[in-house]
Amino acid sequence: MARLIAILVGLGFTLVVLISFGVDTYTSITEPAPETAEHKFHLEPKAVSFPHDGVFGKWDTAQLQRGYVVYKEVCAACHSMKFVAFRDLADLGYTEPEVQALAAEWQVPGVDPQTGEAVLRAGEPTDYFPSPYPNAVAAAAANNNAIPPDLSLMAKARHGGAEYIYSLLTGYQEPSEELLAEFPEAAPGQGLYHNPYFPNLNLAMAPPLTATGQVSYEDGTEATIPQMAKDVSAFLSWTAEPTKVKRTQTGWPVLGFVLFATILAYLSKKQIWAAVKPAKRKD
């Protein structure tokens, strides 16, 4: 009897689940979800071309160096880059002495060898880029309760990659009248800024690039807002995937070898089985 009751209970539970699933499915088909401000007014990333795009792309080291300058002088005030070491900057065309000098411009956590107390010291090539905040609580307190994300892998973590970063940096604007009329609740609240390229339309990060000449480029390139946005977007593409170009370049010889091996195997098969006649079918 107990076993029969258990079976009936299980069947009843299964029936309820199936009915619930069917009702939800029918409702979703016949009554589409109401359109939200995020769905209607969110914009896809702008179409931007970078030297490293495509199967024949290459890193523009001058652009990457300019992007590093933008990160150091603008983005590093709020965002960490904990998966990138100073020694990695050698891939951008910097010499070993230049990497050492660049690392020394940063202050990283250390320990006083005399007292054992925590101190800040000049960075070394083996150190990783430090966080501007001692912990997540301090980061949230300084940014309207929004913790700035680490930028090491940002170009891989967001749909659109470098194009998304560029669009976000250049996309700050006032909400449109159409948006405010249809979705007044979508107006940015206190401490928020409207950006249609951000999934939620409003974000806590203030526009980081605000004026031409905000940074100084040693190569003489004019530091306009679009130029700075493009340079730092390329730089963050490199930090997220530094071996991208090398992997693509390696792929072509590999594909060539596979093609050659396939042709050789086919010709070998033809040579080996050339003298073998197929058996006749018996009807």
Side-chain angles (χ1 to χ4, degrees):
M1 178 62 70
R3 181 176 298 178
L4 178 61
I5 294 175
I7 293 175
L8 292 176
V9 171
L11 290 175
F13 178 77
T14 302
L15 182 62
V16 170
V17 171
L18 291 176
I19 294 175
S20 177
F21 177 77
V23 170
D24 290 343
T25 302
Y26 177 79
T27 302
S28 64
I29 294 175
T30 58
E31 300 179 12
E35 193 172 34
T36 63
E38 290 82 358
H39 287 99
K40 186 172 183 179
F41 291 94
H42 174 255
L43 300 179
E44 291 297 317
K46 302 176 183 178
V48 188
S49 61
F50 292 90
H52 58 267
D53 288 340
V55 294
F56 298 105
K58 294 183 178 180
W59 296 120
D60 182 343
T61 55
Q63 182 181 54
L64 297 182
Q65 290 183 9
R66 293 194 302 268
Y68 166 72
V69 172
V70 177
Y71 169 75
K72 179 178 181 295
E73 298 188 15
V74 180
C75 307
C78 299
H79 296 275
S80 61
M81 205 160 57
K82 61 184 179 181
F83 297 117
V84 183
F86 295 117
R87 61 188 173 192
D88 296 330
L89 296 177
D91 293 341
L92 306 189
Y94 292 113
T95 63
E96 184 176 344
E98 288 174 333
V99 171
Q100 292 177 345
L102 291 173
E105 294 175 355
W106 295 76
Q107 292 292 302
V108 301
V111 177
D112 189 324
Q114 303 297 328
T115 64
E117 297 180 352
V119 296
L120 291 177
R121 59 172 177 80
E124 298 177 356
T126 53
D127 293 318
Y128 287 77
F129 281 86
S131 171
Y133 305 104
N135 51 58
V137 176
N143 293 277
N144 196 28
N145 290 325
I147 301 176
D150 183 85
L151 295 184
S152 305
L153 306 176
M154 185 56 63
K156 296 290 290 182
R158 296 292 185 270
H159 171 69
E163 291 82 3
Y164 166 78
I165 297 172
Y166 174 86
S167 301
L168 186 72
L169 293 175
T170 59
Y172 286 89
Q173 57 189 263
E174 292 297 323
S176 66
E177 294 182 1
E178 181 184 1
L179 169 64
L180 296 179
E182 189 171 353
F183 301 97
E185 68 279 4
Q190 183 177 3
L192 297 178
Y193 303 86
H194 182 71
N195 193 316
Y197 296 97
F198 189 69
N200 294 337
L201 302 182
N202 301 310
L203 69 165
M205 181 176 72
L209 304 178
T210 56
T212 297
Q214 190 171 347
V215 302
S216 297
Y217 289 144
E218 293 184 358
D219 62 1
T221 302
E222 184 179 10
T224 62
I225 291 179
Q227 182 68 55
M228 290 186 289
K230 193 169 185 178
D231 291 340
V232 77
S233 298
F235 173 72
L236 293 178
S237 292
W238 171 79
T239 63
E241 200 172 9
T243 61
K244 176 181 182 296
V245 170
K246 184 180 295 185
R247 187 176 65 250
T248 303
Q249 292 174 343
T250 303
W252 287 111
V254 172
L255 288 176
F257 172 78
V258 171
L259 178 61
F260 172 76
T262 301
I263 295 174
L264 185 62
Y266 174 76
L267 295 176
S268 299
K269 177 259 183 186
K270 296 286 288 184
Q271 178 68 24
I272 293 172
W273 295 96
V276 178
K277 296 182 180 180
K280 294 183 179 181
R281 294 180 57 185
K282 294 181 179 179
D283 296 332

